[in-house]
Amino acid sequence: MNCPRIAITPGEPAGIGPELCVQLAQQAHACQLVAVADPTLLQDRADRLGLPLRVLPFHATDPAQPAPPGSLYCQNVTLTAPSEPGQLDSANAAYVLGTLREATLGCQAGTFDALVTAPVHKGVINDAGIPFSGHTEFLEAMTGSHKVVMMLATEGLKVALATTHLPLRDVADAITQPLLREIIAVLLQDLQRSFGLRRPRVLVAGLNPHAGESGHMGREEIDTITPVLEEFRANGADLIGPLPADTLFTEHHLRDADAVLAMYHDQGLPVLKYKGFGRAANITLGLPIIRTSVDHGTALDLAGSGQADVGSLQTALQFALDMARHQSGN
């Protein structure tokens, strides 16, 4: 893979995504970065920020090559309505989903080696009468994937989640042996395929305080988690746990680990975001395409101000680039 070609969708046009793409375009990259977006939106945001931007037409049949700093290739998807920073308009919901659809189709066709997504606003898409629960679910359905796993990553730490956006009272019932088998299988496969880890070492958190205290604080570790871990260990997997979550995230445990599997959203992500917020990426495992994203939302209050931090988008791009190279064997 001489020059990977990576698609980027700017997300909600009224948010900070378009201007983050403009900021990203000011730098040199070891890939051809292609914004799947309305070029007039990108140019408008560049003008508002006082940054140079030359929008280059994208042709899939041309050889992939990086754009010079201050330039950005663009595959045109036209806005439905004019967009103002910070002002949501449900008329553009179809545009947002159109950019995702075109970028995903490009990945499936082999035109793009990976997809990086800036944040969308779920509420305004639903206000338009379009059922939408998020990027992950959209991509899962569009690619026909059986099971996907959310993993956030920053330098020195990767945290995958057994359950994601559930009320805490529902988490224990959701954690079943079949679910854990699916989650762990996807996690191990993608750590090998996309990160070049031959035998990944994964720390697995227990669900309950002190990992259940030998059944005195809950039996999920005994009845559900441990039997599944033992099945994978019998087949050679390097899984450690279930470990108490309050001590798992210490140097003693993490220094030899490749990833952590947390049982629920707020068990693992507060530590990850404390360590690397603004320099972390959201990675969707289990898709037939590579997809990474930012660790933040649309930040409507910052849109158009020039104060948005491009760090997380840079991190997402770097992970996408690294994953594409591992998958291609380069």
Side-chain angles (χ1 to χ4, degrees):
M1 181 180 292
N2 295 324
C3 180
R5 181 180 276 157
I6 297 180
I8 184 166
T9 53
E12 168 53 48
I16 61 173
E19 62 199 72
L20 293 180
C21 293
V22 171
Q23 291 183 49
L24 208 58
Q26 306 306 307
Q27 308 161 11
H29 300 288
C31 63
Q32 183 181 36
L33 188 61
V34 181
V36 182
D38 190 320
T40 61
L41 171 67
L42 299 174
Q43 192 65 62
D44 174 73
R45 296 300 186 267
D47 293 345
R48 290 173 186 262
L49 297 180
L51 293 175
L53 182 68
R54 182 182 174 211
V55 179
L56 306 172
F58 170 67
H59 303 291
T61 55
D62 291 345
Q65 59 181 354
S71 303
L72 182 63
Y73 286 98
C74 184
Q75 179 174 320
N76 183 26
V77 178
T78 305
L79 279 167
T80 309
S83 177
E84 284 293 318
Q87 298 179 23
L88 294 172
D89 187 344
S90 60
N92 279 320
Y95 158 79
V96 172
L97 297 184
T99 64
L100 284 175
R101 190 173 296 108
E102 289 301 311
T104 303
L105 289 172
C107 288
Q108 291 176 305
T111 302
F112 303 122
D113 298 297
L115 168 61
V116 178
T117 62
V120 297
H121 194 287
K122 300 173 191 175
V124 76
I125 296 174
N126 283 282
D127 288 344
I130 305 172
F132 181 80
S133 53
H135 274 116
T136 302
E137 294 81 4
F138 179 90
L139 294 170
E140 183 178 20
M142 189 167 173
T143 59
S145 301
H146 173 64
K147 185 64 183 177
V148 299
V149 175
M150 178 188 291
M151 183 176 79
L152 268 75
T154 189
E155 185 176 356
L157 182 62
K158 298 180 181 70
V159 178
L161 301 177
T163 62
T164 52
H165 301 125
L166 287 179
L168 190 56
R169 67 171 60 250
D170 296 338
V171 168
D173 289 340
I175 296 174
T176 63
Q177 289 192 17
L179 174 79
L180 288 179
R181 288 190 191 101
E182 288 183 322
I183 295 289
I184 293 171
V186 169
L187 176 59
L188 294 178
Q189 175 182 289
D190 269 20
L191 287 174
Q192 293 169 336
R193 181 172 64 111
S194 299
F195 293 90
L197 300 168
R198 187 183 63 82
R199 186 170 179 254
R201 184 178 181 87
V202 178
L203 308 184
V204 181
L207 172 66
N208 298 295
H210 300 182
E213 196 78 74
S214 300
H216 296 289
M217 291 189 187
R219 292 192 55 85
E220 285 82 5
E221 288 76 14
I222 296 170
D223 297 337
T224 304
I225 302 174
T226 296
V228 174
L229 300 187
E230 289 177 346
E231 290 175 18
F232 280 90
R233 289 178 190 133
N235 290 310
D238 191 2
L239 303 176
I240 311 301
L243 298 171
D246 63 339
T247 54
L248 182 160
F249 292 99
T250 59
E251 177 62 23
H252 169 71
H253 289 295
L254 290 176
R255 63 183 170 220
D256 296 321
D258 295 305
V260 172
L261 176 60
M263 290 297 110
Y264 56 95
H265 187 279
D266 282 13
Q267 183 183 59
L269 296 194
V271 181
L272 185 288
K273 292 191 177 185
Y274 176 76
K275 178 177 175 60
F277 188 72
R279 296 294 183 275
N282 185 343
I283 301 170
T284 306
L285 307 180
L287 293 171
I289 66 172
I290 295 168
R291 181 261 173 162
T292 68
S293 190
V294 293
D295 66 353
H296 57 74
T298 54
L300 295 170
D301 58 323
L302 292 180
S305 70
Q307 298 177 25
D309 187 345
V310 75
S312 182
L313 192 61
Q314 288 174 315
T315 303
L317 175 60
Q318 188 59 55
F319 271 111
L321 182 56
D322 292 344
M323 292 168 70
R325 285 173 169 161
H326 278 301
Q327 288 196 15
S328 70
N330 292 331

